[in-house]
Amino acid sequence: MFHRKLPIVVLVVAVLLTGTAAKSGAEDLARRDRMLRLLNQVRRNHGLPTFRVNRSLSTYAWHHSRRMARGGQIFHTVNLYRQVRAYGPSTWGENVGEARWMRTVLRLWMHSAPHRENLLKRAFRHVGIGVVKARGCAWLTVIFYGL
């Protein structure tokens, strides 16, 4: 009797796991889009062109943010050019950070000369953004590049 019910149990568990993953993915995309709006507001305030999001690079940025959150520390991508070279950039950079709120990370970046330079560099037009909520904080990776 148990063997007949096993496929149903497996199906129910698979559906529940898929639903959880989809919800988490949707929340991460909403966070990415919110961060893009915050970054572009800073750009507009300084008379600069807005960023366009690169979805593929954002996937990498999200994985990087997840690795930082899991390890409990922030760190830069070891070979950033390897991640952006497919887009033929002439310039590239990366900001990483963590704080309770995304706005706090952005504020910290604006008060740090190298991070501010990345945010306000006119040549940067494209970004990959990864935001992960973990350990009560937002873990962020923003990869910039220009053609």
Side-chain angles (χ1 to χ4, degrees), residues 43 51-52 57 81 84 87-93 118 121-127 143-147:
R43 300 275 289 185
F51 292 124
R52 295 182 63 194
L57 191 57
Y81 180 69
V84 298
Y87 312 112
S90 60
T91 185
W92 57 91
N118 281 342
K121 188 171 186 174
R122 182 172 290 279
F124 288 156
R125 298 297 305 278
H126 305 272
V127 290
I143 301 171
F144 310 88
Y145 70 94
L147 305 178

mmCIF file with all atom_site columns, all heavy atoms in Angstrom, residues 43 51-52 57 81 84 87-93 118 121-127 143-147:
data_model
loop_
_atom_site.group_PDB
_atom_site.id
_atom_site.type_symbol
_atom_site.label_atom_id
_atom_site.label_alt_id
_atom_site.label_comp_id
_atom_site.label_asym_id
_atom_site.label_entity_id
_atom_site.label_seq_id
_atom_site.pdbx_PDB_ins_code
_atom_site.Cartn_x
_atom_site.Cartn_y
_atom_site.Cartn_z
_atom_site.occupancy
_atom_site.B_iso_or_equiv
_atom_site.pdbx_formal_charge
_atom_site.auth_seq_id
_atom_site.auth_comp_id
_atom_site.auth_asym_id
_atom_site.auth_atom_id
_atom_site.pdbx_PDB_model_num
ATOM 1   N N   . ARG A 1 43  ? 22.437 58.227 -10.214 1.00 0.00 ? 43  ARG A N   1
ATOM 2   C CA  . ARG A 1 43  ? 22.960 58.656 -11.511 1.00 0.00 ? 43  ARG A CA  1
ATOM 3   C C   . ARG A 1 43  ? 22.205 59.882 -12.022 1.00 0.00 ? 43  ARG A C   1
ATOM 4   O O   . ARG A 1 43  ? 22.815 60.848 -12.476 1.00 0.00 ? 43  ARG A O   1
ATOM 5   C CB  . ARG A 1 43  ? 22.866 57.522 -12.535 1.00 0.00 ? 43  ARG A CB  1
ATOM 6   C CG  . ARG A 1 43  ? 23.627 56.253 -12.175 1.00 0.00 ? 43  ARG A CG  1
ATOM 7   C CD  . ARG A 1 43  ? 25.035 56.275 -12.564 1.00 0.00 ? 43  ARG A CD  1
ATOM 8   N NE  . ARG A 1 43  ? 25.208 56.184 -14.000 1.00 0.00 ? 43  ARG A NE  1
ATOM 9   C CZ  . ARG A 1 43  ? 26.390 56.097 -14.582 1.00 0.00 ? 43  ARG A CZ  1
ATOM 10  N NH1 . ARG A 1 43  ? 27.487 56.069 -13.854 1.00 0.00 ? 43  ARG A NH1 1
ATOM 11  N NH2 . ARG A 1 43  ? 26.497 56.034 -15.880 1.00 0.00 ? 43  ARG A NH2 1
ATOM 12  N N   . PHE A 1 51  ? 21.854 53.269 -15.702 1.00 0.00 ? 51  PHE A N   1
ATOM 13  C CA  . PHE A 1 51  ? 22.380 51.933 -15.986 1.00 0.00 ? 51  PHE A CA  1
ATOM 14  C C   . PHE A 1 51  ? 21.313 51.075 -16.648 1.00 0.00 ? 51  PHE A C   1
ATOM 15  O O   . PHE A 1 51  ? 20.117 51.215 -16.362 1.00 0.00 ? 51  PHE A O   1
ATOM 16  C CB  . PHE A 1 51  ? 22.792 51.223 -14.686 1.00 0.00 ? 51  PHE A CB  1
ATOM 17  C CG  . PHE A 1 51  ? 23.982 51.812 -13.993 1.00 0.00 ? 51  PHE A CG  1
ATOM 18  C CD1 . PHE A 1 51  ? 23.892 52.214 -12.668 1.00 0.00 ? 51  PHE A CD1 1
ATOM 19  C CD2 . PHE A 1 51  ? 25.202 51.936 -14.642 1.00 0.00 ? 51  PHE A CD2 1
ATOM 20  C CE1 . PHE A 1 51  ? 24.989 52.728 -12.008 1.00 0.00 ? 51  PHE A CE1 1
ATOM 21  C CE2 . PHE A 1 51  ? 26.306 52.456 -13.986 1.00 0.00 ? 51  PHE A CE2 1
ATOM 22  C CZ  . PHE A 1 51  ? 26.198 52.854 -12.664 1.00 0.00 ? 51  PHE A CZ  1
ATOM 23  N N   . ARG A 1 52  ? 21.776 50.166 -17.484 1.00 0.00 ? 52  ARG A N   1
ATOM 24  C CA  . ARG A 1 52  ? 20.918 49.121 -18.028 1.00 0.00 ? 52  ARG A CA  1
ATOM 25  C C   . ARG A 1 52  ? 21.363 47.813 -17.389 1.00 0.00 ? 52  ARG A C   1
ATOM 26  O O   . ARG A 1 52  ? 22.561 47.534 -17.315 1.00 0.00 ? 52  ARG A O   1
ATOM 27  C CB  . ARG A 1 52  ? 21.060 49.043 -19.541 1.00 0.00 ? 52  ARG A CB  1
ATOM 28  C CG  . ARG A 1 52  ? 20.550 50.323 -20.219 1.00 0.00 ? 52  ARG A CG  1
ATOM 29  C CD  . ARG A 1 52  ? 20.639 50.250 -21.703 1.00 0.00 ? 52  ARG A CD  1
ATOM 30  N NE  . ARG A 1 52  ? 19.773 49.171 -22.176 1.00 0.00 ? 52  ARG A NE  1
ATOM 31  C CZ  . ARG A 1 52  ? 19.825 48.677 -23.396 1.00 0.00 ? 52  ARG A CZ  1
ATOM 32  N NH1 . ARG A 1 52  ? 20.691 49.141 -24.261 1.00 0.00 ? 52  ARG A NH1 1
ATOM 33  N NH2 . ARG A 1 52  ? 19.020 47.715 -23.762 1.00 0.00 ? 52  ARG A NH2 1
ATOM 34  N N   . LEU A 1 57  ? 24.730 38.717 -16.323 1.00 0.00 ? 57  LEU A N   1
ATOM 35  C CA  . LEU A 1 57  ? 25.736 39.143 -15.352 1.00 0.00 ? 57  LEU A CA  1
ATOM 36  C C   . LEU A 1 57  ? 25.121 39.260 -13.958 1.00 0.00 ? 57  LEU A C   1
ATOM 37  O O   . LEU A 1 57  ? 25.785 39.000 -12.955 1.00 0.00 ? 57  LEU A O   1
ATOM 38  C CB  . LEU A 1 57  ? 26.357 40.470 -15.786 1.00 0.00 ? 57  LEU A CB  1
ATOM 39  C CG  . LEU A 1 57  ? 27.594 40.925 -15.028 1.00 0.00 ? 57  LEU A CG  1
ATOM 40  C CD1 . LEU A 1 57  ? 28.715 39.874 -15.089 1.00 0.00 ? 57  LEU A CD1 1
ATOM 41  C CD2 . LEU A 1 57  ? 28.083 42.258 -15.592 1.00 0.00 ? 57  LEU A CD2 1
ATOM 42  N N   . TYR A 1 81  ? 37.415 40.420 -14.945 1.00 0.00 ? 81  TYR A N   1
ATOM 43  C CA  . TYR A 1 81  ? 37.388 40.485 -16.408 1.00 0.00 ? 81  TYR A CA  1
ATOM 44  C C   . TYR A 1 81  ? 36.813 39.207 -17.015 1.00 0.00 ? 81  TYR A C   1
ATOM 45  O O   . TYR A 1 81  ? 36.093 39.258 -18.015 1.00 0.00 ? 81  TYR A O   1
ATOM 46  C CB  . TYR A 1 81  ? 38.780 40.756 -16.981 1.00 0.00 ? 81  TYR A CB  1
ATOM 47  C CG  . TYR A 1 81  ? 38.754 40.818 -18.490 1.00 0.00 ? 81  TYR A CG  1
ATOM 48  C CD1 . TYR A 1 81  ? 38.116 41.870 -19.140 1.00 0.00 ? 81  TYR A CD1 1
ATOM 49  C CD2 . TYR A 1 81  ? 39.327 39.817 -19.263 1.00 0.00 ? 81  TYR A CD2 1
ATOM 50  C CE1 . TYR A 1 81  ? 38.059 41.926 -20.525 1.00 0.00 ? 81  TYR A CE1 1
ATOM 51  C CE2 . TYR A 1 81  ? 39.273 39.861 -20.641 1.00 0.00 ? 81  TYR A CE2 1
ATOM 52  C CZ  . TYR A 1 81  ? 38.634 40.916 -21.264 1.00 0.00 ? 81  TYR A CZ  1
ATOM 53  O OH  . TYR A 1 81  ? 38.569 40.955 -22.636 1.00 0.00 ? 81  TYR A OH  1
ATOM 54  N N   . VAL A 1 84  ? 33.120 39.597 -17.351 1.00 0.00 ? 84  VAL A N   1
ATOM 55  C CA  . VAL A 1 84  ? 32.563 40.634 -18.235 1.00 0.00 ? 84  VAL A CA  1
ATOM 56  C C   . VAL A 1 84  ? 33.089 40.571 -19.665 1.00 0.00 ? 84  VAL A C   1
ATOM 57  O O   . VAL A 1 84  ? 32.537 41.236 -20.544 1.00 0.00 ? 84  VAL A O   1
ATOM 58  C CB  . VAL A 1 84  ? 32.798 42.055 -17.658 1.00 0.00 ? 84  VAL A CB  1
ATOM 59  C CG1 . VAL A 1 84  ? 32.109 42.216 -16.321 1.00 0.00 ? 84  VAL A CG1 1
ATOM 60  C CG2 . VAL A 1 84  ? 34.267 42.385 -17.568 1.00 0.00 ? 84  VAL A CG2 1
ATOM 61  N N   . TYR A 1 87  ? 31.077 40.602 -23.012 1.00 0.00 ? 87  TYR A N   1
ATOM 62  C CA  . TYR A 1 87  ? 30.321 41.790 -23.416 1.00 0.00 ? 87  TYR A CA  1
ATOM 63  C C   . TYR A 1 87  ? 31.204 42.827 -24.110 1.00 0.00 ? 87  TYR A C   1
ATOM 64  O O   . TYR A 1 87  ? 30.726 43.901 -24.466 1.00 0.00 ? 87  TYR A O   1
ATOM 65  C CB  . TYR A 1 87  ? 29.619 42.403 -22.198 1.00 0.00 ? 87  TYR A CB  1
ATOM 66  C CG  . TYR A 1 87  ? 28.889 41.345 -21.399 1.00 0.00 ? 87  TYR A CG  1
ATOM 67  C CD1 . TYR A 1 87  ? 29.312 40.993 -20.125 1.00 0.00 ? 87  TYR A CD1 1
ATOM 68  C CD2 . TYR A 1 87  ? 27.813 40.651 -21.949 1.00 0.00 ? 87  TYR A CD2 1
ATOM 69  C CE1 . TYR A 1 87  ? 28.674 39.990 -19.414 1.00 0.00 ? 87  TYR A CE1 1
ATOM 70  C CE2 . TYR A 1 87  ? 27.172 39.644 -21.239 1.00 0.00 ? 87  TYR A CE2 1
ATOM 71  C CZ  . TYR A 1 87  ? 27.618 39.320 -19.973 1.00 0.00 ? 87  TYR A CZ  1
ATOM 72  O OH  . TYR A 1 87  ? 26.986 38.320 -19.275 1.00 0.00 ? 87  TYR A OH  1
ATOM 73  N N   . GLY A 1 88  ? 32.489 42.523 -24.280 1.00 0.00 ? 88  GLY A N   1
ATOM 74  C CA  . GLY A 1 88  ? 33.415 43.411 -24.967 1.00 0.00 ? 88  GLY A CA  1
ATOM 75  C C   . GLY A 1 88  ? 33.606 44.756 -24.301 1.00 0.00 ? 88  GLY A C   1
ATOM 76  O O   . GLY A 1 88  ? 33.633 45.786 -24.960 1.00 0.00 ? 88  GLY A O   1
ATOM 77  N N   . PRO A 1 89  ? 33.786 44.779 -22.974 1.00 0.00 ? 89  PRO A N   1
ATOM 78  C CA  . PRO A 1 89  ? 33.894 46.067 -22.285 1.00 0.00 ? 89  PRO A CA  1
ATOM 79  C C   . PRO A 1 89  ? 35.248 46.739 -22.499 1.00 0.00 ? 89  PRO A C   1
ATOM 80  O O   . PRO A 1 89  ? 36.256 46.078 -22.724 1.00 0.00 ? 89  PRO A O   1
ATOM 81  C CB  . PRO A 1 89  ? 33.738 45.672 -20.816 1.00 0.00 ? 89  PRO A CB  1
ATOM 82  C CG  . PRO A 1 89  ? 34.378 44.325 -20.741 1.00 0.00 ? 89  PRO A CG  1
ATOM 83  C CD  . PRO A 1 89  ? 33.996 43.657 -22.050 1.00 0.00 ? 89  PRO A CD  1
ATOM 84  N N   . SER A 1 90  ? 35.237 48.052 -22.426 1.00 0.00 ? 90  SER A N   1
ATOM 85  C CA  . SER A 1 90  ? 36.500 48.797 -22.427 1.00 0.00 ? 90  SER A CA  1
ATOM 86  C C   . SER A 1 90  ? 36.882 49.175 -20.995 1.00 0.00 ? 90  SER A C   1
ATOM 87  O O   . SER A 1 90  ? 38.023 49.521 -20.726 1.00 0.00 ? 90  SER A O   1
ATOM 88  C CB  . SER A 1 90  ? 36.368 50.058 -23.281 1.00 0.00 ? 90  SER A CB  1
ATOM 89  O OG  . SER A 1 90  ? 35.354 50.887 -22.763 1.00 0.00 ? 90  SER A OG  1
ATOM 90  N N   . THR A 1 91  ? 35.916 49.088 -20.087 1.00 0.00 ? 91  THR A N   1
ATOM 91  C CA  . THR A 1 91  ? 36.150 49.414 -18.679 1.00 0.00 ? 91  THR A CA  1
ATOM 92  C C   . THR A 1 91  ? 35.174 48.619 -17.819 1.00 0.00 ? 91  THR A C   1
ATOM 93  O O   . THR A 1 91  ? 34.071 48.303 -18.270 1.00 0.00 ? 91  THR A O   1
ATOM 94  C CB  . THR A 1 91  ? 36.001 50.941 -18.441 1.00 0.00 ? 91  THR A CB  1
ATOM 95  O OG1 . THR A 1 91  ? 36.336 51.242 -17.096 1.00 0.00 ? 91  THR A OG1 1
ATOM 96  C CG2 . THR A 1 91  ? 34.614 51.442 -18.770 1.00 0.00 ? 91  THR A CG2 1
ATOM 97  N N   . TRP A 1 92  ? 35.578 48.280 -16.601 1.00 0.00 ? 92  TRP A N   1
ATOM 98  C CA  . TRP A 1 92  ? 34.726 47.495 -15.717 1.00 0.00 ? 92  TRP A CA  1
ATOM 99  C C   . TRP A 1 92  ? 35.134 47.713 -14.271 1.00 0.00 ? 92  TRP A C   1
ATOM 100 O O   . TRP A 1 92  ? 36.231 48.181 -13.989 1.00 0.00 ? 92  TRP A O   1
ATOM 101 C CB  . TRP A 1 92  ? 34.761 46.007 -16.072 1.00 0.00 ? 92  TRP A CB  1
ATOM 102 C CG  . TRP A 1 92  ? 36.139 45.424 -16.055 1.00 0.00 ? 92  TRP A CG  1
ATOM 103 C CD1 . TRP A 1 92  ? 36.769 44.825 -14.991 1.00 0.00 ? 92  TRP A CD1 1
ATOM 104 C CD2 . TRP A 1 92  ? 37.073 45.390 -17.126 1.00 0.00 ? 92  TRP A CD2 1
ATOM 105 N NE1 . TRP A 1 92  ? 38.039 44.427 -15.340 1.00 0.00 ? 92  TRP A NE1 1
ATOM 106 C CE2 . TRP A 1 92  ? 38.246 44.758 -16.662 1.00 0.00 ? 92  TRP A CE2 1
ATOM 107 C CE3 . TRP A 1 92  ? 37.049 45.846 -18.452 1.00 0.00 ? 92  TRP A CE3 1
ATOM 108 C CZ2 . TRP A 1 92  ? 39.357 44.565 -17.463 1.00 0.00 ? 92  TRP A CZ2 1
ATOM 109 C CZ3 . TRP A 1 92  ? 38.165 45.654 -19.250 1.00 0.00 ? 92  TRP A CZ3 1
ATOM 110 C CH2 . TRP A 1 92  ? 39.299 45.019 -18.746 1.00 0.00 ? 92  TRP A CH2 1
ATOM 111 N N   . GLY A 1 93  ? 34.236 47.382 -13.349 1.00 0.00 ? 93  GLY A N   1
ATOM 112 C CA  . GLY A 1 93  ? 34.501 47.524 -11.929 1.00 0.00 ? 93  GLY A CA  1
ATOM 113 C C   . GLY A 1 93  ? 33.453 46.772 -11.122 1.00 0.00 ? 93  GLY A C   1
ATOM 114 O O   . GLY A 1 93  ? 32.486 46.248 -11.681 1.00 0.00 ? 93  GLY A O   1
ATOM 115 N N   . ASN A 1 118 ? 32.997 54.320 -9.008  1.00 0.00 ? 118 ASN A N   1
ATOM 116 C CA  . ASN A 1 118 ? 32.308 53.321 -9.837  1.00 0.00 ? 118 ASN A CA  1
ATOM 117 C C   . ASN A 1 118 ? 30.865 53.730 -10.110 1.00 0.00 ? 118 ASN A C   1
ATOM 118 O O   . ASN A 1 118 ? 30.382 53.626 -11.236 1.00 0.00 ? 118 ASN A O   1
ATOM 119 C CB  . ASN A 1 118 ? 32.323 51.948 -9.162  1.00 0.00 ? 118 ASN A CB  1
ATOM 120 C CG  . ASN A 1 118 ? 33.640 51.233 -9.318  1.00 0.00 ? 118 ASN A CG  1
ATOM 121 O OD1 . ASN A 1 118 ? 34.453 51.566 -10.173 1.00 0.00 ? 118 ASN A OD1 1
ATOM 122 N ND2 . ASN A 1 118 ? 33.858 50.231 -8.481  1.00 0.00 ? 118 ASN A ND2 1
ATOM 123 N N   . LYS A 1 121 ? 30.890 56.844 -12.577 1.00 0.00 ? 121 LYS A N   1
ATOM 124 C CA  . LYS A 1 121 ? 31.731 56.821 -13.776 1.00 0.00 ? 121 LYS A CA  1
ATOM 125 C C   . LYS A 1 121 ? 30.841 56.860 -15.020 1.00 0.00 ? 121 LYS A C   1
ATOM 126 O O   . LYS A 1 121 ? 30.030 55.974 -15.249 1.00 0.00 ? 121 LYS A O   1
ATOM 127 C CB  . LYS A 1 121 ? 32.622 55.567 -13.783 1.00 0.00 ? 121 LYS A CB  1
ATOM 128 C CG  . LYS A 1 121 ? 33.638 55.558 -14.880 1.00 0.00 ? 121 LYS A CG  1
ATOM 129 C CD  . LYS A 1 121 ? 34.619 54.417 -14.687 1.00 0.00 ? 121 LYS A CD  1
ATOM 130 C CE  . LYS A 1 121 ? 35.725 54.483 -15.714 1.00 0.00 ? 121 LYS A CE  1
ATOM 131 N NZ  . LYS A 1 121 ? 36.751 53.462 -15.425 1.00 0.00 ? 121 LYS A NZ  1
ATOM 132 N N   . ARG A 1 122 ? 30.996 57.915 -15.813 1.00 0.00 ? 122 ARG A N   1
ATOM 133 C CA  . ARG A 1 122 ? 30.153 58.115 -16.995 1.00 0.00 ? 122 ARG A CA  1
ATOM 134 C C   . ARG A 1 122 ? 30.258 56.947 -17.976 1.00 0.00 ? 122 ARG A C   1
ATOM 135 O O   . ARG A 1 122 ? 29.273 56.575 -18.612 1.00 0.00 ? 122 ARG A O   1
ATOM 136 C CB  . ARG A 1 122 ? 30.520 59.419 -17.690 1.00 0.00 ? 122 ARG A CB  1
ATOM 137 C CG  . ARG A 1 122 ? 29.647 59.720 -18.900 1.00 0.00 ? 122 ARG A CG  1
ATOM 138 C CD  . ARG A 1 122 ? 29.900 61.094 -19.461 1.00 0.00 ? 122 ARG A CD  1
ATOM 139 N NE  . ARG A 1 122 ? 29.423 62.155 -18.592 1.00 0.00 ? 122 ARG A NE  1
ATOM 140 C CZ  . ARG A 1 122 ? 28.155 62.565 -18.536 1.00 0.00 ? 122 ARG A CZ  1
ATOM 141 N NH1 . ARG A 1 122 ? 27.249 61.989 -19.285 1.00 0.00 ? 122 ARG A NH1 1
ATOM 142 N NH2 . ARG A 1 122 ? 27.808 63.549 -17.739 1.00 0.00 ? 122 ARG A NH2 1
ATOM 143 N N   . ALA A 1 123 ? 31.436 56.358 -18.095 1.00 0.00 ? 123 ALA A N   1
ATOM 144 C CA  . ALA A 1 123 ? 31.640 55.266 -19.057 1.00 0.00 ? 123 ALA A CA  1
ATOM 145 C C   . ALA A 1 123 ? 30.880 53.995 -18.687 1.00 0.00 ? 123 ALA A C   1
ATOM 146 O O   . ALA A 1 123 ? 30.590 53.180 -19.552 1.00 0.00 ? 123 ALA A O   1
ATOM 147 C CB  . ALA A 1 123 ? 33.133 54.960 -19.187 1.00 0.00 ? 123 ALA A CB  1
ATOM 148 N N   . PHE A 1 124 ? 30.563 53.822 -17.413 1.00 0.00 ? 124 PHE A N   1
ATOM 149 C CA  . PHE A 1 124 ? 29.796 52.643 -17.012 1.00 0.00 ? 124 PHE A CA  1
ATOM 150 C C   . PHE A 1 124 ? 28.341 52.839 -17.399 1.00 0.00 ? 124 PHE A C   1
ATOM 151 O O   . PHE A 1 124 ? 27.687 53.782 -16.934 1.00 0.00 ? 124 PHE A O   1
ATOM 152 C CB  . PHE A 1 124 ? 29.906 52.392 -15.501 1.00 0.00 ? 124 PHE A CB  1
ATOM 153 C CG  . PHE A 1 124 ? 31.240 51.872 -15.040 1.00 0.00 ? 124 PHE A CG  1
ATOM 154 C CD1 . PHE A 1 124 ? 31.646 52.073 -13.732 1.00 0.00 ? 124 PHE A CD1 1
ATOM 155 C CD2 . PHE A 1 124 ? 32.083 51.172 -15.885 1.00 0.00 ? 124 PHE A CD2 1
ATOM 156 C CE1 . PHE A 1 124 ? 32.859 51.590 -13.277 1.00 0.00 ? 124 PHE A CE1 1
ATOM 157 C CE2 . PHE A 1 124 ? 33.302 50.687 -15.455 1.00 0.00 ? 124 PHE A CE2 1
ATOM 158 C CZ  . PHE A 1 124 ? 33.690 50.895 -14.140 1.00 0.00 ? 124 PHE A CZ  1
ATOM 159 N N   . ARG A 1 125 ? 27.828 51.949 -18.226 1.00 0.00 ? 125 ARG A N   1
ATOM 160 C CA  . ARG A 1 125 ? 26.440 52.054 -18.680 1.00 0.00 ? 125 ARG A CA  1
ATOM 161 C C   . ARG A 1 125 ? 25.630 50.798 -18.371 1.00 0.00 ? 125 ARG A C   1
ATOM 162 O O   . ARG A 1 125 ? 24.416 50.814 -18.436 1.00 0.00 ? 125 ARG A O   1
ATOM 163 C CB  . ARG A 1 125 ? 26.398 52.318 -20.189 1.00 0.00 ? 125 ARG A CB  1
ATOM 164 C CG  . ARG A 1 125 ? 27.048 53.633 -20.606 1.00 0.00 ? 125 ARG A CG  1
ATOM 165 C CD  . ARG A 1 125 ? 26.362 54.857 -20.032 1.00 0.00 ? 125 ARG A CD  1
ATOM 166 N NE  . ARG A 1 125 ? 24.951 54.937 -20.319 1.00 0.00 ? 125 ARG A NE  1
ATOM 167 C CZ  . ARG A 1 125 ? 24.411 55.395 -21.435 1.00 0.00 ? 125 ARG A CZ  1
ATOM 168 N NH1 . ARG A 1 125 ? 25.180 55.843 -22.397 1.00 0.00 ? 125 ARG A NH1 1
ATOM 169 N NH2 . ARG A 1 125 ? 23.103 55.412 -21.594 1.00 0.00 ? 125 ARG A NH2 1
ATOM 170 N N   . HIS A 1 126 ? 26.316 49.692 -18.071 1.00 0.00 ? 126 HIS A N   1
ATOM 171 C CA  . HIS A 1 126 ? 25.646 48.411 -17.838 1.00 0.00 ? 126 HIS A CA  1
ATOM 172 C C   . HIS A 1 126 ? 26.045 47.866 -16.472 1.00 0.00 ? 126 HIS A C   1
ATOM 173 O O   . HIS A 1 126 ? 27.177 48.073 -16.032 1.00 0.00 ? 126 HIS A O   1
ATOM 174 C CB  . HIS A 1 126 ? 26.040 47.399 -18.917 1.00 0.00 ? 126 HIS A CB  1
ATOM 175 C CG  . HIS A 1 126 ? 25.776 47.891 -20.301 1.00 0.00 ? 126 HIS A CG  1
ATOM 176 N ND1 . HIS A 1 126 ? 24.579 47.710 -20.938 1.00 0.00 ? 126 HIS A ND1 1
ATOM 177 C CD2 . HIS A 1 126 ? 26.552 48.585 -21.158 1.00 0.00 ? 126 HIS A CD2 1
ATOM 178 C CE1 . HIS A 1 126 ? 24.633 48.259 -22.135 1.00 0.00 ? 126 HIS A CE1 1
ATOM 179 N NE2 . HIS A 1 126 ? 25.825 48.800 -22.301 1.00 0.00 ? 126 HIS A NE2 1
ATOM 180 N N   . VAL A 1 127 ? 25.113 47.162 -15.832 1.00 0.00 ? 127 VAL A N   1
ATOM 181 C CA  . VAL A 1 127 ? 25.394 46.574 -14.519 1.00 0.00 ? 127 VAL A CA  1
ATOM 182 C C   . VAL A 1 127 ? 24.789 45.174 -14.409 1.00 0.00 ? 127 VAL A C   1
ATOM 183 O O   . VAL A 1 127 ? 23.767 44.871 -15.028 1.00 0.00 ? 127 VAL A O   1
ATOM 184 C CB  . VAL A 1 127 ? 24.840 47.432 -13.354 1.00 0.00 ? 127 VAL A CB  1
ATOM 185 C CG1 . VAL A 1 127 ? 25.602 48.715 -13.207 1.00 0.00 ? 127 VAL A CG1 1
ATOM 186 C CG2 . VAL A 1 127 ? 23.358 47.678 -13.497 1.00 0.00 ? 127 VAL A CG2 1
ATOM 187 N N   . ILE A 1 143 ? 28.261 44.742 -10.503 1.00 0.00 ? 143 ILE A N   1
ATOM 188 C CA  . ILE A 1 143 ? 29.351 44.703 -11.469 1.00 0.00 ? 143 ILE A CA  1
ATOM 189 C C   . ILE A 1 143 ? 29.021 45.709 -12.576 1.00 0.00 ? 143 ILE A C   1
ATOM 190 O O   . ILE A 1 143 ? 27.928 45.661 -13.156 1.00 0.00 ? 143 ILE A O   1
ATOM 191 C CB  . ILE A 1 143 ? 29.531 43.285 -12.053 1.00 0.00 ? 143 ILE A CB  1
ATOM 192 C CG1 . ILE A 1 143 ? 29.827 42.299 -10.919 1.00 0.00 ? 143 ILE A CG1 1
ATOM 193 C CG2 . ILE A 1 143 ? 30.634 43.274 -13.115 1.00 0.00 ? 143 ILE A CG2 1
ATOM 194 C CD1 . ILE A 1 143 ? 29.802 40.843 -11.342 1.00 0.00 ? 143 ILE A CD1 1
ATOM 195 N N   . PHE A 1 144 ? 29.934 46.608 -12.821 1.00 0.00 ? 144 PHE A N   1
ATOM 196 C CA  . PHE A 1 144 ? 29.747 47.682 -13.806 1.00 0.00 ? 144 PHE A CA  1
ATOM 197 C C   . PHE A 1 144 ? 30.620 47.416 -15.018 1.00 0.00 ? 144 PHE A C   1
ATOM 198 O O   . PHE A 1 144 ? 31.716 46.882 -14.892 1.00 0.00 ? 144 PHE A O   1
ATOM 199 C CB  . PHE A 1 144 ? 30.233 49.022 -13.227 1.00 0.00 ? 144 PHE A CB  1
ATOM 200 C CG  . PHE A 1 144 ? 29.700 49.368 -11.877 1.00 0.00 ? 144 PHE A CG  1
ATOM 201 C CD1 . PHE A 1 144 ? 30.350 48.947 -10.723 1.00 0.00 ? 144 PHE A CD1 1
ATOM 202 C CD2 . PHE A 1 144 ? 28.553 50.151 -11.748 1.00 0.00 ? 144 PHE A CD2 1
ATOM 203 C CE1 . PHE A 1 144 ? 29.872 49.297 -9.458  1.00 0.00 ? 144 PHE A CE1 1
ATOM 204 C CE2 . PHE A 1 144 ? 28.082 50.515 -10.494 1.00 0.00 ? 144 PHE A CE2 1
ATOM 205 C CZ  . PHE A 1 144 ? 28.722 50.079 -9.353  1.00 0.00 ? 144 PHE A CZ  1
ATOM 206 N N   . TYR A 1 145 ? 30.142 47.837 -16.189 1.00 0.00 ? 145 TYR A N   1
ATOM 207 C CA  . TYR A 1 145 ? 31.012 47.851 -17.347 1.00 0.00 ? 145 TYR A CA  1
ATOM 208 C C   . TYR A 1 145 ? 30.520 48.836 -18.390 1.00 0.00 ? 145 TYR A C   1
ATOM 209 O O   . TYR A 1 145 ? 29.360 49.240 -18.378 1.00 0.00 ? 145 TYR A O   1
ATOM 210 C CB  . TYR A 1 145 ? 31.200 46.449 -17.956 1.00 0.00 ? 145 TYR A CB  1
ATOM 211 C CG  . TYR A 1 145 ? 29.979 45.861 -18.645 1.00 0.00 ? 145 TYR A CG  1
ATOM 212 C CD1 . TYR A 1 145 ? 29.802 46.003 -20.012 1.00 0.00 ? 145 TYR A CD1 1
ATOM 213 C CD2 . TYR A 1 145 ? 29.028 45.152 -17.917 1.00 0.00 ? 145 TYR A CD2 1
ATOM 214 C CE1 . TYR A 1 145 ? 28.697 45.452 -20.643 1.00 0.00 ? 145 TYR A CE1 1
ATOM 215 C CE2 . TYR A 1 145 ? 27.939 44.597 -18.538 1.00 0.00 ? 145 TYR A CE2 1
ATOM 216 C CZ  . TYR A 1 145 ? 27.773 44.749 -19.906 1.00 0.00 ? 145 TYR A CZ  1
ATOM 217 O OH  . TYR A 1 145 ? 26.679 44.198 -20.526 1.00 0.00 ? 145 TYR A OH  1
ATOM 218 N N   . GLY A 1 146 ? 31.426 49.249 -19.241 1.00 0.00 ? 146 GLY A N   1
ATOM 219 C CA  . GLY A 1 146 ? 31.112 50.138 -20.335 1.00 0.00 ? 146 GLY A CA  1
ATOM 220 C C   . GLY A 1 146 ? 31.748 49.650 -21.602 1.00 0.00 ? 146 GLY A C   1
ATOM 221 O O   . GLY A 1 146 ? 32.795 48.996 -21.570 1.00 0.00 ? 146 GLY A O   1
ATOM 222 N N   . LEU A 1 147 ? 31.133 49.969 -22.714 1.00 0.00 ? 147 LEU A N   1
ATOM 223 C CA  . LEU A 1 147 ? 31.635 49.499 -24.020 1.00 0.00 ? 147 LEU A CA  1
ATOM 224 C C   . LEU A 1 147 ? 32.562 50.514 -24.655 1.00 0.00 ? 147 LEU A C   1
ATOM 225 O O   . LEU A 1 147 ? 32.653 51.634 -24.290 1.00 0.00 ? 147 LEU A O   1
ATOM 226 C CB  . LEU A 1 147 ? 30.452 49.212 -24.949 1.00 0.00 ? 147 LEU A CB  1
ATOM 227 C CG  . LEU A 1 147 ? 29.437 48.224 -24.374 1.00 0.00 ? 147 LEU A CG  1
ATOM 228 C CD1 . LEU A 1 147 ? 28.290 48.060 -25.344 1.00 0.00 ? 147 LEU A CD1 1
ATOM 229 C CD2 . LEU A 1 147 ? 30.090 46.889 -24.086 1.00 0.00 ? 147 LEU A CD2 1
#
